[in-house]
Amino acid sequence: MSNNLFIPNWESSIDNTLVDSIINHLESEKSVALKDFNFLEYTKGITFENEQCENGMYIFRFSDGKYYVGKASSCTLLERISKHIDGRRWGGFNAVLKELGYNDKSLDYHIENQLAFLNAKVVLLPISWKSLSQSNVDPKIDKPLHKLESDLILLFKKRFSETQVFNKTNPKELSGMFELSLIKINQ
């Protein structure tokens, strides 16, 4: 059985092939909307060789064709995604929610934005810290998730336009960290 929250057989090769796989996955009928997020699929998808790979990347595709690339490094993927849905006006991690287009200050526009957000498609790329520690990458020094996020944002912005990619990070070049197969997640 396929787990449609994840890109299967992802290896840490950051290139247009991975971006194509992500886009094709998010545009397919098999992709999962946030409102249909399944905890059992999530739990199965983050398990790799007896390791829970709960950090990693997530990519949203909104109904207007815009994308958001984000990372979950200091919390789990599940925690990070839930922070995006936080409807409090003073919420610090809900910048995407605040920018979804419904901004009438006289209304509680966060409700409309939450509904739009829940219709977004999502795909996850979990990272194996155990695999990273067995490679030449030191996660504490090299900050691979930060570099992975920047690399994916750059490739998405090159593929689309600046306005079609929600993330405000604006990398200028690829990190070069992910040219070798350092990480392997199998679904």
Side-chain angles (χ1 to χ4, degrees):
M1 181 174 161
S2 172
N3 190 331
N4 295 316
L5 278 173
F6 300 87
I7 295 288
N9 300 318
W10 176 68
E11 293 186 27
S12 63
S13 176
I14 305 303
D15 57 18
N16 288 323
T17 304
L18 176 60
V19 172
D20 289 342
S21 295
I22 292 168
I23 292 167
N24 291 337
H25 185 88
L26 289 171
E27 290 179 353
S28 77
E29 291 181 18
K30 294 179 180 180
S31 62
V32 176
L34 280 166
K35 66 182 178 185
D36 299 322
F37 193 97
N38 181 302
F39 293 105
L40 181 59
E41 283 185 27
Y42 172 80
T43 303
K44 287 180 180 178
I46 60 170
T47 303
F48 174 68
E49 294 183 358
N50 296 322
E51 179 187 7
Q52 293 291 100
C53 305
E54 294 210 60
N55 297 114
M57 304 300 304
Y58 55 92
I59 300 93
F60 301 131
R61 183 180 188 276
F62 296 92
S63 59
D64 62 1
K66 291 182 179 177
Y67 290 87
Y68 182 86
V69 176
K71 69 180 174 306
S73 57
S74 61
C75 59
T76 68
L77 287 160
L78 187 61
E79 290 170 316
R80 186 64 189 99
I81 290 169
S82 67
K83 289 178 181 184
H84 278 295
I85 301 170
D86 181 354
R88 298 171 299 163
R89 290 183 191 274
W90 58 87
F93 290 98
N94 60 3
V96 173
L97 182 68
K98 291 175 183 174
E99 293 187 21
L100 283 178
Y102 305 101
N103 296 319
D104 183 348
K105 301 292 184 198
S106 65
L107 302 172
D108 189 1
Y109 61 88
H110 278 78
I111 293 171
E112 292 296 322
N113 289 357
Q114 282 176 321
L115 293 174
F117 191 81
L118 289 172
N119 285 311
K121 302 292 184 148
V122 62
V123 68
L124 307 175
L125 299 172
I127 300 296
S128 168
W129 292 109
K130 188 185 305 180
S131 294
L132 280 176
S133 66
Q134 293 173 359
S135 67
N136 293 330
V137 175
D138 183 339
K140 293 179 182 170
I141 296 171
D142 296 324
K143 300 201 180 264
L145 284 180
H146 293 75
K147 291 179 181 176
L148 178 57
E149 178 189 39
S150 291
D151 286 354
L152 282 175
I153 290 168
L154 178 64
L155 291 170
F156 267 84
K157 286 185 175 184
K158 284 184 175 186
R159 179 66 165 288
F160 298 110
S161 68
E162 294 280 328
T163 59
Q164 203 169 348
V165 182
F166 259 64
N167 199 303
K168 294 190 186 327
T169 301
N170 197 18
K172 302 295 182 210
E173 60 185 31
L174 293 175
S175 70
M177 180 178 279
F178 300 96
E179 293 174 349
L180 302 173
S181 295
L182 303 175
I183 310 162
K184 186 173 182 179
I185 301 290
N186 291 315
Q187 304 310 324

